[in-house]
Each structure stands twice: as C-alpha cells, then as structure tokens.
Amino acid sequence: MSFDFPTFLVAATFLTGGIWLLDALLWAPKRRRLAAAAASGSGESAQGAAMGYKEPVLVEYARSFFPVILIVLLLRSFVVEPFRIPSGSMMPTLLVGDFILVNKFSYGLRLPVLNSKFVELGEPERGDVIVFRFPRDESVDYIKRVIALPGDQVYYRDKTIYVNGEPLGQIPLGDYIDDNGQPTGLIEVVEAVGDDLEHEILINPRTGDFPRSCGVLARGPVTVPEDTYFVMGDNRDNSNDGRCWGFVPEENLVGKAFAIWMSWDGNRDGFPIAFGRIGNVIH
C-alpha cells in the first residue's frame, strides 16, 4: 500500500491546529484561572504560580508543529511539489534519479485530497511536460509530454506523430550515448511539437511502433475526447503512455514540470550527483 502523503498532511494540519485551538479556547483559560487562584491564596506572584500550571506537552508540540505543517501543506498543494523520476520513459529530457519541481497552479488550483478544482488558471499546451495521476491506478503519479489536446486527431506511424493530419517535424542527431559514455543502440532525434518548441526524443529503430499490449492508435487516427489529453514519453519505445491506455482526464492533472533541482543516480560511474543537470529548465 502506497503512503498517501497529502492525506497525512491534511490530517496532521487539522489535528495539530485543533489541539492548539481547543487549548486556546478551553484549557488555557482554565490554567490561567487556577494559576491566579493559587497566587492569591499563597501570596506568591501570578507568574510563579503559573509555572505550576504549564501547558501540556501535547499542546506544546501541537503549537510548535502546526504552523510548519500548514505552510508545507499550502506550498505543496498550491505552489510547487517535488517529484523523483523513477524510470527512463522520459529520456533524454529526464533521467532516472532526477528530482524535479512541479508547478501546482499552472492548470488551476485544486483542493488537496479531493483534487477538485476551485480556481481556473490555465490549461495544458502541446509540448508541456506534465505530472498526472495514472488513470488506471490513481495512487500512482506519471510524467509524460502532452502531444494532443481535446478535439485533436492523433496518429502514430513509423516513429512519427501526426496531429490533425500534420506530421511533427523530426531531425536525427545520431546515436544516443549515455552519461557513462556507453552506446545505447538508440537514435536521438529533435522533434518539433509546435512552432516554438523543440525537444529531444529517443527512438529504437529495431522495434515496432506499438508494443503488443498497446493498441489505442494501432488501428488508425483517434480523436482526443473532450476534457482529456493524449500524452507520450520522450523515450518513445520504452514508455507506457497514451498508446497503451488512452487519455488523461483533466481532473487527473497534478501540475507542470518546470525544473530539475537535484540529479542522483547510484549507477553512475564516479560521483552519483550529476551537477550539470541541477537547475536545468524542463522543455
């Protein structure tokens, strides 16, 4: 069972905030009254008597942790959230071990846990690298590139994507060499998703367009349904993407990936941190 961190944050915020609020409204006034009564009866100062009626440890911890947890919840829910890349499906754009930042307000503000949108701010565009809840298992987050928008007709043949009948332009760069200087058998290609965006993809010339279980586009062009998006991985022949399971519903969007803040791969030769990738903007 995967750990539901958003639910934990919401629960922890309500728990610590609730304890702090109850103490402020109910228990703290009672402690102050007892301290004042003790001071008047014994003749000692009110400050000295109050020392005998210190706030409970539980309240002290709740008061200390509530602001921190609340800030983390707000930042993670509405501003930015970190993710780690677990697979090579977005190579060469993103590598295994990259830690990325995701803009949580690019496509509107959503309530944590409920994931219901309450503020409209924008919509995905072709070429955006997005994080979304996997439609077949919403406890799992996926990251892919938006290829087609609602209403677009999308088609894939001979390693080439066609959107509304037009092929996306491709310029071969040659054999792809990994970070350890080893040949991979893949070809690196520059692909133009739109007039203003080009990005690199990887193609395996020894495989077909569709793995055996991926038949969404195998029988011809498909029109992207309303309020959904068609996505693919940049590592075209090593990606479980829209060719296999269809479309991403709008309500499954998490945010737009925009930067790499750390890159750590224990399988790298030498030092595991790829300093040259830190701070890279994701295109």
Side-chain angles (χ1 to χ4, degrees):
M1 180 181 296
S2 60
F3 179 62
D4 191 343
F5 191 58
T7 300
F8 166 78
L9 278 179
V10 172
T13 301
F14 275 99
L15 179 62
T16 55
I19 292 173
W20 190 12
L21 180 62
L22 285 174
D23 179 69
L25 296 178
L26 302 177
W27 305 324
K30 183 178 180 180
R31 289 198 304 272
R32 286 194 292 268
R33 289 196 300 270
L34 291 174
S40 62
S42 63
E44 66 177 307
S45 67
Q47 181 179 0
M51 294 297 293
Y53 295 91
K54 292 178 60 178
E55 66 181 14
V57 173
L58 179 63
V59 174
E60 183 178 353
Y61 276 112
R63 179 169 53 80
S64 299
F65 282 113
F66 171 70
V68 177
I69 297 174
L70 178 62
I71 291 172
V72 172
L73 174 64
L74 293 176
L75 288 176
R76 190 182 185 277
S77 299
F78 305 125
V79 182
V80 66
E81 182 176 358
F83 286 88
R84 182 181 184 275
I85 303 301
S87 74
S89 69
M90 282 297 293
M91 292 171 57
T93 305
L94 297 171
L95 306 181
V96 175
D98 281 349
F99 291 80
I100 65 170
L101 297 175
V102 173
N103 185 323
K104 297 298 292 286
F105 56 84
S106 291
Y107 309 134
L109 298 180
R110 300 176 186 271
L111 293 173
V113 180
L114 299 177
N115 297 311
S116 57
K117 185 186 294 186
F118 65 94
V119 176
E120 296 278 354
L121 291 176
E123 297 176 348
E125 299 179 355
R126 293 189 193 94
D128 285 359
V129 177
I130 65 170
V131 173
F132 57 92
R133 300 191 311 280
F134 183 40
R136 293 188 177 179
D137 182 0
E138 295 194 356
S139 67
V140 179
D141 291 319
Y142 267 34
I143 182 166
K144 304 292 178 187
R145 189 180 298 274
V146 176
I147 299 298
L149 307 177
D152 284 344
Q153 185 187 75
V154 62
Y155 182 59
Y156 188 66
R157 277 294 182 275
D158 298 326
K159 314 296 184 182
T160 301
I161 302 170
Y162 296 78
V163 178
N164 298 324
E166 297 294 328
L168 301 189
Q170 294 185 350
I171 302 175
L173 297 180
D175 295 338
Y176 177 69
I177 307 299
D178 67 18
D179 280 355
N180 293 324
Q182 300 299 315
T184 61
L186 304 176
I187 297 175
E188 189 169 7
V189 175
V190 174
E191 182 177 76
V193 180
D195 295 334
D196 301 322
L197 177 63
E198 293 181 341
H199 65 100
E200 287 76 33
I201 64 173
L202 297 181
I203 290 174
N204 187 341
R206 298 182 302 278
T207 65
D209 290 334
F210 304 96
R212 187 169 301 176
S213 60
C214 297
V216 174
L217 301 182
R219 291 181 292 275
V222 173
T223 299
V224 182
E226 184 179 358
D227 295 327
T228 67
Y229 299 89
F230 181 78
V231 300
M232 294 178 68
D234 289 349
N235 192 354
R236 290 289 156 76
D237 298 300
N238 185 27
S239 174
N240 177 27
D241 54 36
R243 293 169 293 178
C244 302
W245 40 260
F247 309 97
V248 179
E250 191 277 338
E251 60 266 23
N252 283 49
L253 299 178
V254 173
K256 179 180 178 180
F258 69 92
I260 299 170
W261 66 271
M262 174 57 72
S263 185
W264 178 291
D265 184 2
N267 294 322
R268 284 173 52 89
D269 290 342
F271 200 67
I273 297 179
F275 289 102
R277 298 186 60 76
I278 297 176
N280 285 356
V281 177
I282 297 172
H283 297 289

